[in-house]
Structures are given as C-alpha cells and as structure tokens.
Amino acid sequence: METFIKELKTSVPRVDALDKITGKTKYLNDIDFGNEVLYAKIVHSTKARAKILKINIPELPEGYFTVDYKDVPGKNAATMIISDWKPFAEDTVRYIGETILLIVGPDKNIVYDIAEKVKIEYQDLEPVLNIEDSKKLLGGAIYGDNNIFISFNAGYGDVDEAFKKAKTIIEETYYTPYQEHLYMEVNGAVGVWENGKVSIYSSTQCPYYVQKAASPVLGVEDVRVVAPPIGGGFGGKEHYPDILASVVAVAAHKAKKTVKLILDRQFDMAYSVKRQPAQIKTKIALDENNNITALDVVSDMDAGAYESSSRVIMQRCTYTAANVYHFPNVRVVGTLYATNNVPSCAFRGFGGPQAIFAIERTMDNIAKKINVDPIELKKKYFVKQNDPTITGGIFHDNIILPKMLDLALKESDYERKSKEYKNSMYKGIGISCFLHGCAFTGSGERDIIKAKLKLKKKGNKVTILTSNTEIGQGLHTTFRKIASYNLNIPLEDIDIAEYDTDIVPNTGPTVASRSVMIVGYLIQEASKKLKERWNESDEIEITEDYKHPTHLVDWDTNTLRGDAYPSYGLGINVVEVEIDKYTLEVKIVGVWAVFDCGYPIDEKIVEGQIKGGVAQALGWGALEKIVNKDGKFLQVKMSDYMIPTSLDLPEIKTYIMCEPYQYGPLGAKGIGEITFDGAASAYASAMENALKHHFTSIPILPENIAEVL
C-alpha cells in the first residue's frame, strides 16, 4: 500500500523498524569482508602518565605483525577540532587505555593471546587526575603551560558593582559526573585495501569527521569512509571513531589487506569517551527586597587527556549558564582543563545538562533561603522574546515557557503535591525549566559545516544523498517524510543513499540537534525545486546549499559575541519520588515532560526521543555511578554499571508544544539533545523536597540518602 503524507506530524511506521527487530539489519561486525580478513587488537597503556622505556613483544607467528606510530604514512595526529590526539602513543602515554600499538593477524584468538603477552616498561610520571590538580600543574603541565585547553567568557552588565551593593550573597558549588553512553553496538572500524588504497568502514555518527581525521594520518587528501547501519551513538560515536579508524587504516595500509578492529564491551566501557565531569560554582547577589541583581558563574570541566570535542561542549556549557532566566547582571567564565583521565567527548545535551543542573539547583537554593515558592521565583525571571542573551544576542523566538509551565503544573498536580509533601518526609516533587540552543554555536553552520544536500530523481523514484546518519533517532523516516510531503509522492518511492563519502555530499555531522532542523530544511527546499522540474526529465539532480539566516545569527567569530543560536528548544520536566524509609530505595512514581520543539515531523518519533532522553537523564541523576580510581574506571561491565530499565521508571508522560522556527521544515526545531537537559535537576529537586536537604551533586544514591538521614 502506498503511503502519502498528508500531514507531516502524523506518525507512520518507521521504515527501518522491521529489519531491526527481525535482525536483518547488518551492522559493521555483521558485514562479510571476505575470507582474507585480518583481525586487530589494541595494546594499550596501563599507566595514566608515563614515559615508554621499552616494549617487549613475544615472538610472532608467521602472518602476524605489529602496527605502531612508526608505520603511520602521514601525520600521527587525528584532526578533530585541533590535532592533539595521537592515534598511536609515541614516547609517552597520557591516559590509561591509550593505544600504543596493534597486534594484527589472521586468527582473532591468536591475536588476542599475543596482545596479552606484550609487556611494556614505563617510567612513571605524576598523573593529574582531577581539575584541582590540573590547576596546580601537578607533575608539570600536560597541555601548554597551564593545562587549559580553552576558556570562554559570557555576560553583560556590571557584576562586581552589583555584588558590592548586595544585601545577601548565596554561593554554592555543584558537581556533575561522568556518564557512559552504553550504545547497543560497540565501537569498531574496518580498513579495506582496494584499488591500491585504503577505504574505511566505521560505526560513526559522522563519516566526514572520520575522513577529516584519518586522511592526514594516511597522508592522503580524502580517504573514502563508509558508515554502515549504526547501533546507537548518543555522541559516543562522534570523535572516538576517528581514533579507531585512523589506527585500523594504518594497519590496512601496512598489510595491504583488510583489517578489522571491533572492540569488546569491556574495552569500550573502560577506555572509550564519556560525558565530561564538571564543577560549577554559582554566586548570586540579592538586594534588600530579595530581587536577584547578579549571577556570577565559574564553570570548570575535565576534558581528559585530549581535547576531542570538549572545546565546543565547554562553550555551550558557558553559554547555557543563565538558562531560561534574565538577570540584570551576568558573568560566566568556562574553562576546560587537561587531565590524565580517559578523554571525554560529546554526549546528548552537549554541555547543557551540566550548566542546567547548576542553575536549576541554584534557583531552588535561593527559593529555600528566602522562603519563596521555587515556581514563583523561576517564573519571575523567565526570559521573553527580545530579551538579551548572555553572549550579546537576543532571543528572537516567541518564548512560550509560561504556557508550558501551566501545562506541566496542571498535568502533574504539582502545587497540591508540593504543599502536601512540604511538611512530610520521603515523598517529593521537583521541577526544572530549561532551554537548548539548536544547531552549531555561532556561525559554525556557515563557516565550518557548509552543508550541501542532493536529491536524485530517476523515473518516479527519489534518492536523498546526505551524510546525516540514522543512529536510532528515526532519521530515515523523518527525512523520507519531509521529501514525500513536499514532492507529493509515496513514501515508498523515496530512498536514502548509503553513507559513503564517495557518493554523498557533506551535510555535516549527526550532532547538535541539527539533523531535522538544518538538513531537513535543505530536503524541504530541494524537494520544492525538484517538484517544479519533475516533468523535465527522467533523471534530475538537485543540489541545495545551506544559507545562513544572518538576521537571526549575527555572530562575531573574533569576539565570540552575538547570537549564539538561531533558535531555542524549551522544556519543563516534573519528577515525583517516594523513598522507602527502611531500604532507602528511591521509586520514581511520576514523570511529566513538556517540550517545545517547533513542528513535530513525526509525533511518535518525537515522543520516543523525549522518553529515551528523559530516561537517560534520570539514570545520570539517580543511578549511573562511575568511580575513577587513579585514572581507571571501575565500572566497566554491564553487570556493575546501572542504567534505568522499564522497571525503574513509570510511564513518562509527554506533551509536545509548537512554537515554529521559520528555517526548520514546517517550523521544526531540534529535539534530540534537549530531552536530556532537565530531568536530572528535576530529580534532585524532588529529592530535596523529600529529604529537606540541598543536594549539590549527582547521582543521588542510597548511600547519599543515608548520609543525609
């Protein structure tokens, strides 16, 4: 039966659902690369910071060999935002898990056995394992002369003068932890030797990122990169695949054969990238009438041993510091520190959750100190259309936060429950209000990404050529729907080309809640042009280039001032908890999630994004503990790293509101990231309400409750 899209938001069956649930989808490890595949195993550093004195390699059977930095045909540095991360360690190691060499050969079991027998002699150096030690330059600088990768500033007004005049000053430091992505498909890469050169198959969110990173390593202009179906990412497959792809490409170049590197789950959990831990100090000035006159924020993040994408995550954390509030004076300083921990990278929310946790906890703390309802305090400072942003831009959108708040309060029965729980223990309800800037910060889309999309018509069939990948978020369905709706042809007549850099143009990475808003808009506009030319020929190709809305994003790249984002998604989350007074087990009994994501391209897909993101954020706030001991994570198995299951959560009640963005398809804005941003702070607020204690860090575990009681 042909499916015609009459209204975009109406849900249709996901086009990839049947193949995935029946096991027909072939992920990277399922692909048959022929009979002569070689297997690779990483030999990694067991020291957080050390000089390599000697590498002792056992006698290798015929057909087995090592690959290290001396085999790199180009430059031993993967190009990400900067080129600091070496695919292979050379004379020193900077974190536990850093790749020193590969063992490669035809039998996987023998390869693994040889790798276990490699012994490395080190000269220990004093490691830097937290932000405070990084500031002290413990053992000497790791990066530059001060261990600072980058620092950002934002704000307006005269903060110092406001604090001089303040009647009351409230100060607190908030801490947010690491988080493991725990995608279904582990990381991996395959280097294929064909036609006298290397091609890379990678489980990556961003094929062109892998190309940019690995090409200089191979010493070529543009290596071919293919991304097969991807089993989840959440940001964990944004830049870490660059490193794996680079090392396996060097191995394939050396062997002149296909080399396959698939991580096992324990290695992936132990040494792949994580969410950056942060410590954020907030300082609030109040006048004699308890009006907030100034906000001063110092945000510090642990990037780990290499920068990866942490620079732009720190930038977003800095620019999100005031959240949905307009205060008379604001100053924010965000600093990204190098340590000898496993490098961190992108994770859903991309710096927003850390900042939002700190400011939402701050607003709750102020309300408690001055004895006012936190809802009334937050409403008083909600931003409005045309208010200034802390980067010197303005909020161009109509801000519908008051409407969203009214709906959240009504649906959750918040006010009644809040009053009821105020004078009792073990039950609580909390709320968070938040925003997320859509797409890349500032002029990144115009100056860095420069997205280009193609549509190809052959007969009555249309193919979308894009580098934006399907990682479980429903992109194959939403992209087809946008084209089908605008072309007025059946959904079944639209296909999406394989993610192959030799075939598809660079529409940018699958990150930053940009896929539907930015690339979906390109599909919409290209479809309109194709429709006008439909009868010209059997074969037509339409190319659509990104056009920057300069009237919405006036950004100075030198001063980093102006409109940081063209549009903002908005969210209100309410969480209700009950605590067993004997076991201290926390039961989340209610979750209400209201979001403005502009026009929802497919309501069921948007609802799925909301439920998944909120559940993931509640895991971060309530369950997911990672202990980093001497630079090594202790939770490296699915049996000892707790994530929420369906038994841990009630039905997450979702509400979609629509304030359209003019340059999104039919007004769509981003939804993937913002769904994570607020639930952890709402959970902490509920726990505070239940236990009458101001929590400043997450996760809040039974042992933390025991300490409070």
Side-chain angles (χ1 to χ4, degrees):
M1 186 176 113
E2 292 183 331
T3 307
F4 283 88
I5 307 299
K6 299 299 183 186
E7 190 174 9
L8 262 178
K9 69 179 181 180
T10 303
S11 296
V12 300
R14 280 183 54 155
V15 296
D16 55 345
L18 188 61
D19 282 356
K20 286 181 174 176
I21 63 177
T22 57
K24 290 182 181 177
T25 299
K26 290 189 179 297
Y27 298 98
L28 180 64
N29 202 27
D30 301 319
I31 297 172
D32 184 359
F33 288 98
N35 296 324
E36 295 191 9
V37 173
L38 303 179
Y39 296 91
K41 178 77 169 77
I42 293 172
V43 175
H44 62 83
S45 166
T46 57
K47 301 285 185 178
R49 189 181 189 187
K51 288 183 179 178
I52 298 172
L53 300 179
K54 187 179 179 184
I55 301 175
N56 300 298
I57 298 168
E59 185 177 346
L60 299 175
E62 186 178 348
Y64 294 80
F65 58 94
T66 64
V67 182
D68 64 16
Y69 75 92
K70 295 186 288 295
D71 297 304
V72 174
K75 180 183 175 186
N76 187 33
T79 304
M80 297 177 188
I81 296 170
I82 63 173
S83 299
D84 70 322
W85 194 339
K86 293 178 171 62
F88 296 99
E90 296 180 9
D91 55 343
T92 61
V93 292
R94 283 169 61 169
Y95 72 94
I96 295 174
E98 184 165 13
T99 300
I100 296 173
L101 56 88
L102 298 181
I103 301 294
V104 181
D107 187 303
K108 184 177 177 181
N109 291 326
I110 294 173
V111 165
Y112 274 54
D113 184 58
I114 294 168
E116 289 294 319
K117 293 175 180 173
V118 174
K119 302 299 177 189
I120 299 170
E121 298 175 27
Y122 299 96
Q123 178 187 332
D124 287 335
L125 301 173
E126 189 167 17
V128 176
L129 300 175
N130 56 60
I131 291 169
E132 294 309 313
D133 285 347
S134 185
K135 290 178 181 179
K136 295 172 189 172
L137 301 178
L138 197 70
I142 305 165
Y143 180 83
D145 57 6
N146 59 6
N147 283 344
I148 294 174
F149 281 122
I150 193 79
S151 189
F152 296 101
N153 298 275
Y156 52 74
D158 192 335
V159 171
D160 291 330
E161 186 63 23
F163 274 98
K164 281 181 191 173
K165 294 178 178 177
K167 172 76 172 173
T168 307
I169 295 174
I170 298 173
E171 198 169 341
E172 188 59 84
T173 302
Y174 298 94
Y175 301 90
T176 61
Y178 285 106
Q179 189 178 20
E180 163 63 37
H181 297 86
L182 211 65
Y183 24 67
M184 288 188 291
E185 179 201 17
V186 292
N187 270 289
V190 179
V192 177
W193 183 258
E194 54 186 5
N195 303 320
K197 59 183 181 180
V198 175
S199 293
I200 299 170
Y201 287 71
S202 172
S203 179
T204 175
Q205 297 175 220
C206 318
Y208 275 93
Y209 274 12
V210 171
Q211 184 185 78
K212 177 185 174 184
S215 295
V217 176
L218 285 172
V220 299
E221 189 171 333
D222 288 315
V223 64
R224 177 186 175 222
V225 178
V226 179
I230 302 145
F234 308 119
K237 294 181 181 175
E238 180 169 339
H239 279 300
Y240 188 58
D242 298 352
I243 296 299
L244 299 181
S246 295
V247 299
V248 85
V250 172
H253 181 272
K254 180 174 181 175
K256 304 296 186 283
K257 289 184 178 181
T258 295
V259 178
K260 187 174 186 179
L261 172 64
I262 306 293
L263 303 187
D264 59 53
R265 179 67 68 180
Q266 189 166 330
F267 189 102
D268 198 310
M269 290 183 69
Y271 308 123
S272 71
V273 294
K274 307 286 181 280
R275 186 186 296 279
Q276 296 81 357
Q279 56 187 50
I280 302 176
K281 181 179 178 181
T282 65
K283 190 176 172 185
I284 289 283
L286 303 172
D287 66 15
E288 62 277 5
N289 296 315
N290 285 330
N291 294 309
I292 298 173
T293 58
L295 168 68
D296 195 4
V297 180
V298 177
S299 297
D300 295 333
M301 263 189 190
D302 179 349
Y306 296 105
E307 187 182 296
S308 189
S309 67
S310 291
R311 170 183 300 239
V312 284
I313 292 162
M314 184 74 256
Q315 186 178 36
R316 185 177 285 271
C317 182
T318 304
Y319 297 166
T320 308
N323 194 18
V324 293
Y325 307 112
H326 176 221
F327 305 120
N329 303 282
V330 179
R331 177 171 59 208
V332 188
V333 178
T335 307
L336 183 68
Y337 288 94
T339 66
N340 291 115
N341 292 317
V342 172
S344 289
C345 192
F347 202 134
R348 197 178 204 164
F350 210 72
Q354 293 96 319
I356 288 161
F357 179 80
I359 189 62
E360 285 301 283
R361 293 276 65 220
T362 296
M363 294 299 278
D364 287 340
N365 197 28
I366 297 166
K368 183 180 177 183
K369 299 278 189 189
I370 65 176
N371 196 28
V372 299
D373 187 330
I375 298 293
E376 294 307 313
L377 180 71
K378 293 179 181 187
K379 278 169 63 176
K380 181 178 176 179
Y381 296 97
F382 274 170
V383 295
K384 299 180 291 296
Q385 190 174 24
N386 296 321
D387 275 350
T389 68
I390 65 171
T391 57
I394 64 169
F395 286 94
H396 296 278
D397 295 338
N398 179 30
I399 305 293
I400 60 170
L401 276 167
K403 275 197 240 175
M404 296 171 65
L405 180 60
D406 288 345
L407 178 62
L409 295 176
K410 176 173 175 278
E411 292 297 319
S412 64
D413 197 12
Y414 180 92
E415 289 171 327
R416 179 191 67 79
K417 291 173 181 175
S418 183
K419 286 176 187 172
E420 181 184 322
Y421 301 157
K422 191 171 184 180
N423 298 313
S424 64
M425 291 283 282
Y426 302 110
K427 287 186 178 182
I429 191 165
I431 193 165
S432 63
C433 311
F434 49 97
L435 53 68
H436 193 94
C438 299
F440 271 77
T441 303
S443 57
E445 292 287 349
R446 180 192 68 196
D447 300 336
I448 300 171
I449 303 304
K450 302 175 185 175
K452 183 186 293 289
L453 176 121
K454 289 183 181 179
L455 293 184
K456 284 188 177 180
K457 169 187 177 287
K458 188 171 184 179
N460 291 320
K461 306 288 185 181
V462 173
T463 301
I464 301 169
L465 290 92
T466 172
S467 62
N468 286 86
T469 55
E470 168 65 72
I471 55 173
Q473 79 281 46
L475 216 55
H476 274 186
T477 304
T478 52
F479 277 3
R480 281 179 168 97
K481 284 184 71 179
I482 293 166
S484 171
Y485 175 81
N486 285 282
L487 289 166
N488 195 29
I489 64 174
L491 195 70
E492 294 78 10
D493 287 350
I494 298 167
D495 196 10
I496 294 181
E498 182 183 20
Y499 301 124
D500 180 338
T501 57
D502 276 5
I503 298 171
V504 300
N506 188 356
T507 48
T510 311
V511 301
S513 292
R514 63 179 296 276
S515 295
V516 165
M517 189 177 96
I518 300 292
V519 182
Y521 186 73
L522 297 181
I523 293 171
Q524 173 183 281
E525 298 307 293
S527 297
K528 289 176 182 177
K529 292 175 183 176
L530 179 57
K531 188 176 182 182
E532 290 175 0
R533 297 180 53 192
W534 188 264
N535 295 319
E536 284 183 18
S537 168
D538 259 7
E539 294 191 28
I540 302 172
E541 180 175 293
I542 300 288
T543 299
E544 188 71 23
D545 294 301
Y546 173 75
K547 297 174 185 65
H548 202 57
T550 52
H551 63 294
L552 293 179
V553 186
D554 181 12
W555 182 255
D556 187 325
T557 53
N558 295 316
T559 62
L560 301 180
R561 298 290 292 171
D563 294 307
Y565 305 102
S567 184
Y568 293 85
L570 303 171
I572 308 276
N573 285 176
V574 178
V575 174
E576 184 180 0
V577 299
E578 289 181 5
I579 303 167
D580 186 300
K581 68 170 95 176
Y582 300 109
T583 66
L584 306 186
E585 181 183 8
V586 181
K587 183 179 181 183
I588 298 174
V589 295
V591 181
W592 296 264
V594 182
F595 286 96
D596 162 31
C597 60
Y599 185 87
I601 297 299
D602 186 292
E603 288 181 325
K604 281 292 180 189
I605 286 177
V606 170
E607 184 181 330
Q609 285 284 290
I610 293 171
K611 290 184 175 181
V614 168
Q616 204 168 31
L618 288 170
W620 188 52
L623 286 173
E624 297 178 36
K625 183 175 183 177
I626 299 183
V627 176
N628 182 346
K629 185 176 181 182
D630 301 328
K632 188 174 184 178
F633 297 126
L634 300 188
Q635 288 76 22
V636 296
K637 299 175 185 173
M638 293 180 72
S639 58
D640 55 22
Y641 185 78
M642 304 296 290
I643 63 169
T645 70
S646 58
L647 298 177
D648 298 304
L649 298 172
E651 178 189 359
I652 297 170
K653 294 179 178 166
T654 63
Y655 309 87
I656 302 167
M657 300 185 76
C658 176
E659 186 59 33
Y661 168 61
Q662 62 180 306
Y663 294 105
L666 279 193
K669 297 190 278 198
I671 186 62
E673 312 256 8
I674 191 174
T675 59
F676 190 103
D677 284 339
S681 49
Y683 175 78
S685 178
M687 292 297 288
E688 175 166 333
N689 190 224
L691 295 170
K692 316 302 180 273
H693 174 82
H694 185 61
F695 289 97
T696 58
S697 64
I698 49 175
I700 303 170
L701 303 167
E703 51 263 42
N704 307 119
I705 298 169
E707 289 171 8
V708 169
L709 293 175

